[in-house]
Amino acid sequence: MIDQSEEASKVGQVCTVSVSQSLLRRPPLGEENAYANALAQFEKAISHMKLKKGVADTLRYPKRELSVSFPVLMDNQEIRMFRGYRVHHSVVRGPTKGGIRYAPTVTLDEIRALAMWMTWKCALMGLPYGGAKGGVVVDPKELSSRELERLTRRYATEISILMGPESDIPAPDMGTNSQVMAWIMDTYSMHRGFSVPAVVTGKPIEIGGSLGRTEATGRGVAVTMREAMKLKDMGQENATVAIQGYGNVGSVAARMAHDMGFKVVALSGSRGGIYRADGLDPAAVDMHVGESGSMLDFPGADNISNEDLLILDCDVLIAAAVENQITSRNADKIKAKIIAEGANGPTTPEADEILNDRGVFVIPDILCNAGGVTVSYLEWVQDLQSFFWPVEEINLKLEKLMRKSFESVMDCARVHNVSNREAAQILAIQRIADAIMIRGIYP
Ligand code: NAD
């Protein structure tokens, strides 16, 4: 075993490895670059490992990247061009798995980072997958339903050279949902000439989706949050929780936390949030959103900004929105004792340092939000065998896997005296490194 060279372990520097020079160009440094952050986390984790240098090199860069530009016919008969990506980070442990994001802020570097995190997440959870991610630069809220369907079907066709139930299985992420997955499944199936439900997960139940999938990520967040509170000897009853992001992940986590007896004191979306010291009932907030189109001005609550929500005095902060929310600018002001990373990459490496020094307990994203891909795996298995399980069985399997991985991460953190994030990544990276060595380097 050769230790990682010091030179290669510094993010932002060119490392001396035998891969092509174009691969060695690092993304610009800066806290906002998700890929630079993913690489910085990787370097930190492997600094505690005895990883073969060449093995580490293979894991720094995505296996393959597809960039596509494609036209979509809009409702007013104009043709508009869109940019999309699909990135496979690693295929060592199985077909690639990862969501598709629709957002105006999507960049190739962001998709690379998200694909890398998916590789770690699948390995940490023991799922037989490599990591992938896809995205389209679009604000889905600006499109009509027909436009969104045409965009989805065209994007699915563009990336179909990578996609397949044995090769690459997408799922929903920010800005996409079960309907988008249904259009992708239908498009792929039309091209094959028969139905291929296992090509995507997060589908509607009617076409091979799994019970429990929609709630799985939020449920997993709540399970890990409960485990962390037990570990920290914090009473669950009336413990206060603030949640940034009220989409699929945040809203389910809010509901579960409320049902578990936590006091959900704050919620937010991209346009701001609401705060009520005595607690909010997520069901009532949902009703208010349904009637007014926004959670703002919820009766009995104060409107607050996203920035203020993050630094509220509370026991648990659930970051369930986007990357780079907890940074060097606000990490020293965070008052929560536990941060549950429902989102991918909400905390920058600079903020990580500050939080570690301050003893804030972080449940890292690749563990905290792994419930989604775990039930996606269960959906894929059910599709492949055309045999579907009751929701109780799925939730039981999910909780068991989440608790097992939580314990493994805590054990690893103790043994190596590292942060929870480093521990989670060490466990994951070692499993992938072992798979690389067992398979051997082709040819
Ligand atoms: P979503 O589109 O359903 O919801 C996103 C929410 O975040 C919305 O409430 C939106 O208003 C809010 N938001 C967006 N930008 C914001 C900002 N700058 N500040 C505050 N709020 C903002 O997406 P989702 O599926 O809930 O995903 C949220 C996060 O969880 C993403 O990081 C995603 O990658 C991650 N994640 C999702 C899943 C899943 O199964 N959906 C699984 C694992 C991880």
Side-chain angles (χ1 to χ4, degrees), residues 101-102 114 118 121 133 141 171-177 213-214 216-218 244-251 268-272 295 306-307 319-323 325 341-346 365 368-373 376:
R101 175 172 290 195
Y102 287 173
L114 290 163
M118 280 307 294
K121 197 183 300 181
K133 205 79 182 188
K141 290 194 202 112
D173 190 72
M174 261 179 57
T176 58
N177 55 20
R213 172 60 185 90
T214 308
T217 310
Q244 187 203 34
Y246 199 64
N248 172 285
V249 180
S251 64
S268 74
S270 53
R271 284 178 284 166
M295 69 169 69
N306 261 298
E307 294 72 33
V322 279
E323 298 96 303
Q325 295 303 296
E341 295 188 331
N344 288 305
D365 48 6
C368 188
N369 69 37
V373 71
S376 271

Side-chain angles (χ1 to χ4, degrees), residues 105-215:
T105 48
V106 161
T107 64
L108 181 54
D109 267 350
E110 179 187 51
I111 301 298
R112 285 172 173 147
L114 290 163
M116 188 184 245
W117 287 324
M118 280 307 294
T119 303
W120 312 152
K121 197 183 300 181
C122 293
L124 176 66
M125 295 304 291
L127 309 178
Y129 291 134
K133 205 79 182 188
V136 178
V137 187
V138 59
D139 183 350
K141 290 194 202 112
E142 285 179 0
L143 302 193
S144 70
S145 175
R146 268 303 291 161
E147 288 170 339
L148 196 63
E149 179 176 349
R150 284 195 291 265
L151 175 135
T152 299
R153 289 184 182 280
R154 180 64 189 243
Y155 169 68
T157 306
E158 297 284 347
I159 65 163
S160 63
I161 51 173
L162 296 183
M163 213 172 29
E166 306 92 14
S167 55
D168 178 28
I169 306 116
D173 190 72
M174 261 179 57
T176 58
N177 55 20
S178 60
Q179 178 59 69
V180 171
M181 295 306 116
W183 289 325
I184 296 178
M185 177 272 194
D186 184 68
T187 303
Y188 186 86
S189 299
M190 285 298 129
H191 289 190
R192 295 301 305 272
F194 50 90
S195 287
V196 190
V199 69
V200 287
T201 58
K203 300 177 294 291
I205 306 297
E206 293 82 349
I207 56 167
S210 174
L211 293 167
R213 172 60 185 90
T214 308
E215 302 81 19

Side-chain angles (χ1 to χ4, degrees), residues 8 14 48 72 84 97 101 106 126 181 186 193-194 196 222 258 270 293 303 312 344 349 366 380-381 391 438:
V14 171
H48 301 284
V72 175
K97 190 90 193 72
R101 175 172 290 195
V106 161
M181 295 306 116
D186 184 68
F194 50 90
V196 190
H258 181 74
S270 53
N303 290 339
L312 274 178
N344 288 305
I366 63 168
W380 181 69
V381 170
V391 71
I438 291 166

